[in-house]
Coordinates of all heavy atoms in Angstrom, one line a residue:
P235 N -8.6 -8.9 21.4 CA -8.6 -7.4 21.5 C -10.1 -6.9 21.9 O -11.0 -7.6 21.6 CB -8.3 -7.0 20.0 CG -8.1 -8.2 19.3 CD -8.4 -9.4 20.1
V236 N -10.1 -5.7 22.4 CA -11.3 -5.0 22.7 C -12.0 -4.7 21.4 O -11.4 -4.3 20.5 CB -11.2 -3.8 23.5 CG1 -12.5 -3.0 23.8 CG2 -10.5 -4.1 24.8
Q237 N -13.4 -4.9 21.4 CA -14.1 -4.8 20.1 C -14.1 -3.3 19.8 O -14.2 -2.4 20.6 CB -15.5 -5.1 20.4 CG -16.4 -5.1 19.0 CD -17.8 -5.6 19.3 OE1 -18.1 -5.9 20.3 NE2 -18.6 -5.7 18.1
G238 N -13.9 -3.0 18.5 CA -13.7 -1.6 17.9 C -12.2 -1.2 18.0 O -12.0 0.0 17.5
T239 N -11.3 -1.8 18.6 CA -10.0 -1.4 18.6 C -9.2 -2.1 17.4 O -9.2 -3.3 17.3 CB -9.3 -1.8 20.0 OG1 -10.0 -1.4 21.1 CG2 -7.8 -1.4 20.0
P240 N -8.6 -1.2 16.7 CA -7.9 -1.9 15.5 C -6.7 -2.7 16.0 O -6.0 -2.3 16.9 CB -7.5 -0.7 14.6 CG -7.5 0.5 15.6 CD -8.5 0.1 16.7
T241 N -6.5 -3.8 15.2 CA -5.3 -4.6 15.5 C -4.1 -4.1 14.5 O -4.4 -3.9 13.3 CB -5.7 -6.1 15.1 OG1 -6.7 -6.5 16.0 CG2 -4.4 -6.9 15.3
V242 N -2.9 -3.9 15.1 CA -1.9 -3.4 14.3 C -0.8 -4.5 14.1 O -0.3 -4.9 15.2 CB -1.2 -2.1 15.0 CG1 0.0 -1.7 14.2 CG2 -2.3 -1.2 15.3
L243 N -0.6 -4.9 12.9 CA 0.4 -5.9 12.7 C 1.4 -5.2 11.6 O 0.9 -4.5 10.8 CB -0.2 -7.0 11.9 CG -1.3 -7.8 12.8 CD1 -1.9 -8.9 11.9 CD2 -0.7 -8.4 14.0
W244 N 2.6 -5.4 11.8 CA 3.5 -4.7 11.0 C 4.8 -5.6 10.9 O 5.1 -6.5 11.6 CB 3.9 -3.4 11.5 CG 4.6 -3.4 12.8 CD1 4.1 -3.4 14.1 CD2 6.0 -3.4 13.1 NE1 4.9 -3.4 15.1 CE2 6.2 -3.5 14.4 CE3 7.3 -3.4 12.3 CZ2 7.4 -3.5 15.1 CZ3 8.4 -3.5 12.8 CH2 8.5 -3.6 14.3
A245 N 5.4 -5.4 9.8 CA 6.7 -6.0 9.4 C 7.6 -5.1 8.7 O 7.2 -4.3 7.9 CB 6.5 -7.2 8.7
N246 N 8.8 -5.1 9.0 CA 9.8 -4.2 8.3 C 10.4 -5.1 7.3 O 11.2 -6.0 7.5 CB 11.0 -3.7 9.3 CG 11.8 -2.7 8.7 OD1 11.7 -2.4 7.5 ND2 12.8 -2.3 9.4
V247 N 10.0 -4.8 6.0 CA 10.4 -5.7 4.9 C 11.0 -4.8 3.7 O 10.6 -3.8 3.5 CB 9.2 -6.6 4.3 CG1 8.7 -7.5 5.3 CG2 8.1 -5.8 3.7
P248 N 12.0 -5.4 3.0 CA 12.6 -4.6 1.9 C 11.5 -4.6 0.8 O 10.6 -5.4 0.6 CB 13.7 -5.5 1.4 CG 14.0 -6.4 2.5 CD 12.7 -6.6 3.2
A249 N 11.5 -3.3 0.1 CA 10.4 -3.1 -0.9 C 10.9 -2.2 -2.0 O 11.8 -1.3 -1.7 CB 9.2 -2.6 -0.2
D250 N 10.5 -2.3 -3.1 CA 10.7 -1.3 -4.1 C 9.4 -0.6 -4.4 O 8.3 -1.1 -4.4 CB 11.1 -2.0 -5.6 CG 12.4 -2.4 -5.5 OD1 13.3 -1.9 -5.0 OD2 12.6 -3.5 -6.3
V251 N 9.5 0.8 -4.3 CA 8.2 1.6 -4.4 C 8.5 2.6 -5.7 O 9.4 3.2 -5.9 CB 8.1 2.5 -3.2 CG1 6.8 3.4 -3.4 CG2 7.9 1.7 -1.9
V252 N 7.5 2.4 -6.5 CA 7.6 3.2 -7.8 C 6.3 4.2 -7.8 O 5.2 3.8 -7.6 CB 7.4 2.3 -9.0 CG1 7.4 3.0 -10.3 CG2 8.6 1.2 -9.0
S253 N 6.6 5.5 -8.1 CA 5.5 6.4 -8.2 C 4.9 6.4 -9.6 O 5.7 6.4 -10.6 CB 6.0 7.8 -7.9 OG 6.4 7.9 -6.6
L254 N 3.7 6.2 -9.7 CA 3.0 6.0 -11.0 C 2.4 7.3 -11.6 O 2.5 7.6 -12.8 CB 1.9 4.9 -11.0 CG 2.4 3.5 -10.7 CD1 1.3 2.6 -10.5 CD2 3.4 3.0 -11.6
S255 N 1.8 7.9 -10.7 CA 1.2 9.3 -11.2 C 0.9 10.1 -10.0 O 0.7 9.6 -8.8 CB 0.0 9.1 -11.9 OG -1.1 8.5 -11.3
G256 N 0.5 11.4 -10.1 CA 0.0 12.2 -9.2 C -1.2 13.1 -9.8 O -1.2 13.4 -10.9
V257 N -2.2 13.3 -9.0 CA -3.3 14.1 -9.4 C -4.0 14.8 -8.3 O -3.8 14.4 -7.1 CB -4.4 13.0 -10.0 CG1 -5.0 12.2 -9.1 CG2 -5.5 13.8 -10.9
E258 N -4.6 16.0 -8.6 CA -5.3 16.7 -7.6 C -6.8 16.7 -7.9 O -7.2 16.8 -9.1 CB -4.8 18.2 -7.6 CG -3.5 18.3 -7.0 CD -3.1 19.8 -6.8 OE1 -3.8 20.7 -7.3 OE2 -2.1 20.1 -6.2
I259 N -7.6 16.5 -6.8 CA -9.0 16.5 -7.1 C -9.7 17.6 -6.2 O -9.0 18.0 -5.2 CB -9.7 15.2 -6.8 CG1 -9.3 14.7 -5.4 CG2 -9.2 14.0 -7.7 CD1 -10.2 13.4 -5.0
V260 N -10.8 18.1 -6.5 CA -11.5 19.1 -5.6 C -12.6 18.3 -5.0 O -13.5 17.7 -5.6 CB -12.0 20.3 -6.4 CG1 -12.8 21.1 -5.5 CG2 -10.9 21.0 -7.2
A261 N -12.6 18.3 -3.6 CA -13.7 17.7 -2.8 C -14.3 18.8 -2.1 O -13.6 19.3 -1.0 CB -13.1 16.5 -2.0
G262 N -15.5 19.1 -2.4 CA -16.2 20.2 -1.6 C -15.4 21.4 -2.0 O -15.3 21.7 -3.2
E263 N -14.8 22.2 -1.0 CA -14.0 23.3 -1.3 C -12.6 23.2 -1.2 O -11.8 24.1 -1.1 CB -14.5 24.5 -0.4 CG -16.0 24.9 -0.8 CD -16.4 26.1 0.2 OE1 -15.6 26.8 0.7 OE2 -17.6 26.3 0.1
Q264 N -12.2 21.9 -0.9 CA -10.8 21.6 -0.6 C -10.2 20.9 -1.9 O -10.7 20.0 -2.5 CB -10.6 20.6 0.6 CG -11.0 21.3 1.9 CD -10.9 20.3 3.1 OE1 -10.8 19.2 3.0 NE2 -10.8 21.0 4.2
V265 N -8.9 21.3 -2.1 CA -8.1 20.6 -3.3 C -7.3 19.5 -2.5 O -6.7 19.7 -1.4 CB -7.2 21.6 -3.9 CG1 -6.4 20.8 -4.9 CG2 -8.0 22.7 -4.6
R266 N -7.4 18.3 -2.9 CA -6.8 17.2 -2.2 C -5.8 16.5 -3.4 O -6.3 16.2 -4.4 CB -7.9 16.2 -1.8 CG -7.4 15.3 -0.8 CD -8.6 14.5 -0.3 NE -8.1 13.3 0.2 CZ -8.5 12.7 1.3 NH1 -9.4 13.1 1.9 NH2 -7.8 11.5 1.8
G267 N -4.6 16.1 -2.8 CA -3.7 15.4 -3.8 C -3.8 13.9 -3.6 O -3.9 13.4 -2.3
L268 N -3.8 13.2 -4.7 CA -3.6 11.8 -4.5 C -2.4 11.4 -5.3 O -2.2 11.8 -6.4 CB -4.9 11.0 -5.2 CG -6.1 11.2 -4.5 CD1 -7.3 10.5 -5.3 CD2 -6.1 10.6 -3.1
A269 N -1.5 10.5 -4.7 CA -0.4 10.0 -5.5 C -0.5 8.5 -5.6 O -1.0 7.9 -4.6 CB 0.8 10.3 -4.7
T270 N -0.3 7.9 -6.6 CA -0.5 6.5 -6.9 C 1.0 5.8 -6.9 O 1.8 6.4 -7.5 CB -1.2 6.2 -8.3 OG1 -2.4 6.9 -8.3 CG2 -1.5 4.7 -8.5
Q271 N 1.0 4.8 -6.1 CA 2.3 4.1 -5.9 C 2.1 2.7 -6.2 O 1.0 2.1 -6.0 CB 2.8 4.3 -4.5 CG 2.7 5.6 -3.8 CD 3.7 6.5 -4.4 OE1 4.6 6.3 -4.9 NE2 3.3 7.9 -4.2
R272 N 3.1 2.1 -6.7 CA 3.2 0.5 -6.8 C 4.3 0.1 -6.0 O 5.5 0.5 -6.2 CB 3.3 0.2 -8.4 CG 3.2 -1.3 -8.5 CD 3.0 -1.8 -9.9 NE 1.7 -1.4 -10.3 CZ 1.2 -1.2 -11.4 NH1 2.0 -1.2 -12.5 NH2 -0.2 -1.0 -11.7
V273 N 4.0 -0.9 -5.1 CA 5.0 -1.4 -4.3 C 5.3 -2.9 -4.5 O 4.2 -3.7 -4.8 CB 4.5 -1.4 -2.7 CG1 5.4 -1.9 -1.7 CG2 4.2 0.2 -2.4
F274 N 6.4 -3.3 -4.5 CA 6.9 -4.7 -4.8 C 7.6 -5.2 -3.6 O 8.5 -4.6 -3.1 CB 7.8 -4.8 -6.0 CG 7.3 -4.3 -7.3 CD1 7.5 -2.9 -7.7 CD2 6.5 -5.1 -8.1 CE1 6.9 -2.4 -8.8 CE2 5.9 -4.5 -9.2 CZ 6.2 -3.2 -9.6
I275 N 7.1 -6.4 -3.1 CA 7.7 -7.0 -1.9 C 7.7 -8.4 -2.2 O 7.0 -9.0 -3.0 CB 7.0 -6.7 -0.6 CG1 5.6 -7.3 -0.5 CG2 7.1 -5.3 -0.2 CD1 4.9 -7.2 0.8
R276 N 8.6 -9.2 -1.4 CA 8.5 -10.6 -1.5 C 7.2 -11.2 -1.0 O 6.6 -10.5 -0.2 CB 9.6 -11.2 -0.6 CG 10.9 -11.3 -1.1 CD 11.8 -12.1 -0.2 NE 13.1 -12.4 -0.9 CZ 14.0 -13.0 -0.4 NH1 14.0 -13.4 1.0 NH2 15.1 -13.2 -1.0
Y277 N 6.8 -12.3 -1.6 CA 5.4 -12.8 -1.2 C 5.2 -12.9 0.3 O 6.1 -13.4 1.1 CB 5.2 -14.0 -1.8 CG 3.9 -14.6 -1.6 CD1 2.8 -14.3 -2.5 CD2 3.5 -15.5 -0.5 CE1 1.5 -14.8 -2.2 CE2 2.3 -15.9 -0.2 CZ 1.2 -15.5 -1.1 OH 0.0 -16.0 -0.8
R278 N 4.1 -12.4 0.8 CA 3.7 -12.6 2.2 C 2.2 -12.8 2.2 O 1.5 -12.2 1.6 CB 3.9 -11.3 3.0 CG 5.3 -10.8 3.1 CD 5.3 -9.5 4.0 NE 4.9 -9.6 5.2 CZ 5.6 -10.2 6.3 NH1 6.8 -10.4 6.0 NH2 5.2 -10.4 7.5
A279 N 1.9 -13.9 2.8 CA 0.4 -14.3 3.0 C -0.2 -13.3 3.8 O 0.3 -12.7 4.8 CB 0.3 -15.7 3.5
G280 N -1.5 -13.0 3.5 CA -2.4 -12.2 4.4 C -2.3 -10.7 4.1 O -3.1 -9.9 4.8
V281 N -1.6 -10.2 3.2 CA -1.7 -8.8 2.8 C -3.0 -8.6 1.9 O -3.2 -9.2 1.1 CB -0.5 -8.4 2.0 CG1 -0.6 -6.9 1.6 CG2 0.8 -8.7 2.8
T282 N -3.7 -7.6 2.4 CA -5.1 -7.3 1.8 C -5.4 -5.8 1.6 O -4.5 -5.0 2.1 CB -6.2 -7.8 2.7 OG1 -6.3 -7.0 3.8 CG2 -6.1 -9.3 3.0
A283 N -6.4 -5.5 1.0 CA -6.6 -4.1 0.7 C -7.1 -3.3 1.9 O -7.3 -2.2 1.9 CB -7.8 -4.0 -0.4
Q284 N -7.4 -4.1 3.0 CA -7.7 -3.5 4.2 C -6.5 -2.9 5.0 O -6.6 -2.3 6.1 CB -8.5 -4.4 5.1 CG -9.9 -4.6 4.7 CD -10.1 -5.5 3.4 OE1 -9.4 -6.5 3.3 NE2 -10.9 -5.1 2.6
D285 N -5.3 -3.3 4.5 CA -4.0 -2.9 5.2 C -3.5 -1.6 4.7 O -3.9 -1.1 3.6 CB -3.0 -4.1 4.9 CG -3.4 -5.3 5.5 OD1 -3.9 -5.4 6.6 OD2 -3.1 -6.4 4.8
E286 N -2.5 -1.0 5.3 CA -1.8 0.1 4.9 C -0.3 -0.1 5.0 O 0.2 -1.1 5.7 CB -2.1 1.3 5.9 CG -3.6 1.7 5.7 CD -3.8 2.9 6.7 OE1 -3.2 3.1 7.8 OE2 -4.7 3.7 6.4
I287 N 0.3 0.7 4.1 CA 1.9 0.5 4.2 C 2.4 1.9 4.7 O 2.0 2.9 4.3 CB 2.4 0.3 2.8 CG1 2.0 -1.1 2.3 CG2 4.0 0.4 2.8 CD1 2.3 -1.4 0.9
L288 N 3.4 1.7 5.7 CA 4.0 3.0 6.2 C 5.4 3.0 5.5 O 6.2 2.1 5.6 CB 4.2 2.9 7.8 CG 4.9 4.0 8.4 CD1 4.1 5.3 8.2 CD2 5.0 3.7 9.8
W289 N 5.5 4.0 4.7 CA 6.7 4.2 3.9 C 7.4 5.5 4.3 O 7.0 6.6 4.1 CB 6.5 4.2 2.4 CG 7.6 4.3 1.5 CD1 8.7 3.8 1.6 CD2 7.5 5.1 0.3 NE1 9.5 4.1 0.6 CE2 8.9 5.0 -0.3 CE3 6.7 6.0 -0.3 CZ2 9.2 5.6 -1.4 CZ3 7.0 6.6 -1.5 CH2 8.3 6.3 -2.1
G290 N 8.5 5.3 5.2 CA 9.0 6.5 5.9 C 7.9 7.1 6.8 O 7.3 6.5 7.7
T291 N 7.5 8.4 6.5 CA 6.5 9.1 7.3 C 5.1 9.0 6.4 O 4.2 9.6 6.9 CB 6.9 10.5 7.6 OG1 7.2 11.2 6.4 CG2 8.2 10.6 8.5
R292 N 5.2 8.4 5.3 CA 4.0 8.3 4.4 C 3.1 7.1 4.7 O 3.7 6.1 4.8 CB 4.4 8.6 3.0 CG 5.2 9.8 2.8 CD 6.0 9.8 1.6 NE 5.3 9.8 0.3 CZ 5.9 9.8 -0.8 NH1 7.2 9.9 -0.9 NH2 5.2 9.9 -2.0
V293 N 1.9 7.4 4.6 CA 0.9 6.3 4.7 C 0.2 6.0 3.4 O -0.3 6.7 2.7 CB -0.2 6.4 5.8 CG1 -1.1 5.3 5.9 CG2 0.5 6.8 7.1
L294 N 0.4 4.7 2.9 CA -0.1 4.2 1.6 C -1.3 3.3 1.9 O -1.0 2.3 2.4 CB 1.0 3.6 0.8 CG 2.3 4.3 0.5 CD1 3.3 3.5 -0.2 CD2 2.1 5.7 -0.1
G295 N -2.4 3.7 1.3 CA -3.6 2.8 1.5 C -3.5 1.8 0.3 O -3.4 2.2 -0.8
I296 N -3.7 0.5 0.6 CA -3.6 -0.5 -0.3 C -4.9 -0.6 -1.1 O -6.1 -0.7 -0.5 CB -3.3 -1.9 0.2 CG1 -1.8 -1.8 0.9 CG2 -3.4 -3.0 -0.8 CD1 -1.5 -3.1 1.6
V297 N -4.8 -0.6 -2.4 CA -6.0 -0.7 -3.2 C -6.1 -2.1 -3.8 O -7.3 -2.6 -3.9 CB -5.9 0.4 -4.6 CG1 -7.0 0.1 -5.5 CG2 -5.8 1.7 -4.1
S298 N -4.9 -2.7 -4.3 CA -5.0 -4.2 -4.7 C -3.7 -4.8 -4.4 O -2.6 -4.2 -4.3 CB -5.4 -4.2 -6.3 OG -4.2 -3.7 -7.0
V299 N -3.9 -6.1 -4.3 CA -2.6 -6.9 -4.0 C -2.8 -8.1 -4.9 O -3.8 -8.8 -5.1 CB -2.7 -7.5 -2.5 CG1 -1.5 -8.4 -2.3 CG2 -2.7 -6.3 -1.5
R300 N -1.6 -8.4 -5.7 CA -1.6 -9.5 -6.5 C -0.3 -10.3 -6.6 O 0.8 -9.6 -6.5 CB -2.2 -9.2 -7.9 CG -1.4 -8.2 -8.7 CD -2.1 -7.7 -9.8 NE -1.4 -6.7 -10.5 CZ -1.3 -5.5 -10.2 NH1 -1.9 -5.0 -9.1 NH2 -0.5 -4.5 -10.8
D301 N -0.4 -11.6 -6.8 CA 0.8 -12.3 -7.0 C 0.9 -12.4 -8.5 O 0.4 -13.3 -9.2 CB 0.6 -13.8 -6.4 CG 1.8 -14.7 -6.6 OD1 2.8 -14.3 -7.3 OD2 1.7 -15.8 -6.1
A302 N 1.6 -11.5 -9.1 CA 1.5 -11.2 -10.5 C 1.9 -12.5 -11.4 O 1.4 -12.7 -12.4 CB 2.5 -10.1 -10.9
E303 N 2.9 -13.2 -11.0 CA 3.3 -14.4 -11.7 C 2.7 -15.8 -11.1 O 3.0 -16.8 -11.7 CB 4.8 -14.4 -11.7 CG 5.4 -13.2 -12.4 CD 7.0 -13.3 -12.4 OE1 7.5 -14.2 -12.0 OE2 7.5 -12.2 -12.9
N304 N 1.8 -15.6 -10.1 CA 1.2 -16.7 -9.5 C 2.3 -17.8 -9.1 O 2.0 -19.0 -9.2 CB 0.2 -17.4 -10.4 CG -1.1 -16.5 -10.5 OD1 -1.4 -15.8 -9.6 ND2 -1.6 -16.5 -11.7
N305 N 3.4 -17.4 -8.6 CA 4.3 -18.4 -8.1 C 4.7 -18.2 -6.7 O 5.7 -18.9 -6.3 CB 5.6 -18.3 -9.0 CG 6.3 -16.9 -9.0 OD1 5.9 -16.0 -8.2 ND2 7.2 -16.8 -9.9
G306 N 4.1 -17.4 -5.9 CA 4.4 -17.2 -4.5 C 5.7 -16.6 -4.2 O 6.3 -16.7 -3.2
R307 N 6.1 -15.8 -5.2 CA 7.5 -15.1 -5.0 C 7.4 -13.6 -4.7 O 8.2 -13.1 -3.9 CB 8.5 -15.3 -6.1 CG 8.9 -16.9 -6.3 CD 9.8 -17.0 -7.4 NE 10.6 -18.1 -7.1 CZ 11.7 -18.5 -7.9 NH1 12.0 -17.8 -8.9 NH2 12.2 -19.7 -7.6
L308 N 6.6 -12.9 -5.5 CA 6.5 -11.4 -5.5 C 5.1 -11.0 -5.5 O 4.2 -11.4 -6.2 CB 7.2 -11.0 -6.7 CG 7.4 -9.3 -6.9 CD1 8.4 -8.8 -6.0 CD2 7.7 -9.1 -8.3
L309 N 4.9 -10.0 -4.5 CA 3.6 -9.4 -4.5 C 3.7 -8.0 -5.1 O 4.6 -7.2 -4.9 CB 3.1 -9.2 -3.0 CG 2.6 -10.4 -2.3 CD1 2.1 -9.9 -0.9 CD2 1.5 -11.1 -3.1
T310 N 2.8 -7.6 -6.0 CA 2.6 -6.2 -6.5 C 1.4 -5.7 -5.9 O 0.4 -6.2 -5.9 CB 2.3 -6.4 -8.0 OG1 3.4 -7.1 -8.6 CG2 2.2 -5.0 -8.7
I311 N 1.7 -4.5 -5.2 CA 0.7 -3.9 -4.4 C 0.4 -2.5 -4.9 O 1.4 -1.6 -4.9 CB 1.2 -3.8 -2.8 CG1 1.5 -5.2 -2.5 CG2 0.1 -3.1 -2.1 CD1 2.3 -5.2 -1.1
D312 N -0.7 -2.1 -5.4 CA -1.1 -0.8 -5.8 C -1.7 0.0 -4.8 O -2.5 -0.5 -3.9 CB -2.0 -0.9 -6.9 CG -1.4 -1.5 -8.3 OD1 -0.2 -1.3 -8.4 OD2 -2.2 -2.0 -9.1
C313 N -1.2 1.2 -4.6 CA -1.6 2.0 -3.4 C -2.0 3.4 -3.8 O -1.6 4.0 -4.8 CB -0.4 2.2 -2.4 SG 0.3 0.6 -1.8
L314 N -2.8 4.1 -2.9 CA -3.0 5.5 -3.0 C -2.6 6.2 -1.8 O -2.7 5.6 -0.7 CB -4.6 5.7 -3.2 CG -5.2 5.3 -4.4 CD1 -6.7 5.6 -4.3 CD2 -4.6 6.2 -5.6
E315 N -2.0 7.3 -2.0 CA -1.6 8.2 -0.9 C -2.3 9.5 -0.8 O -2.3 10.2 -1.9 CB 0.0 8.5 -1.0 CG 0.4 9.4 0.1 CD 1.9 9.8 0.1 OE1 2.5 9.6 -1.2 OE2 2.3 10.3 0.9
A316 N -3.1 9.7 0.1 CA -3.8 10.9 0.2 C -2.9 12.0 0.9 O -2.3 11.8 1.9 CB -5.0 10.7 1.1
A317 N -2.7 13.2 0.3 CA -1.8 14.3 0.7 C -2.6 15.3 1.5 O -3.7 15.4 1.2 CB -1.2 14.8 -0.4

């Protein structure tokens, strides 16, 4: 790829998405909403906090990724959605 051009990798995978909380913050003179989501998918190697999840028309930024049971079966992915 050309330097500076992002690489886009995607996969359409089944997932459970759970909304954990929502909060509004004031940044400068703008009110901004943040929604916290937890996503569960089958284990996939290579998912990192530098990735994003496209859920319908919503973009979820990944905050953390963990194999909660350390058995290579399920990833728990915590995300933030900026509204």
Side-chain angles (χ1 to χ4, degrees):
V236 177
Q237 188 172 10
T239 303
T241 302
V242 179
L243 301 174
W244 62 274
N246 188 2
V247 297
D250 287 330
V251 180
V252 178
S253 293
L254 300 177
S255 68
V257 69
E258 287 186 350
I259 60 171
V260 177
E263 294 183 15
Q264 295 182 339
V265 175
R266 197 177 158 139
L268 292 176
T270 304
Q271 319 287 345
R272 181 162 288 153
V273 179
F274 301 93
I275 63 170
R276 279 187 168 177
Y277 183 86
R278 299 180 62 85
V281 179
T282 71
Q284 285 74 42
D285 298 321
E286 293 179 330
I287 295 174
L288 180 60
W289 181 40
T291 59
R292 299 159 71 175
V293 177
L294 307 178
I296 296 176
V297 175
S298 69
V299 180
R300 61 192 179 282
D301 178 0
E303 297 178 3
N304 289 325
N305 60 8
R307 291 184 159 187
L308 181 72
L309 285 182
T310 302
I311 306 169
D312 292 332
C313 300
L314 288 178
E315 175 187 15

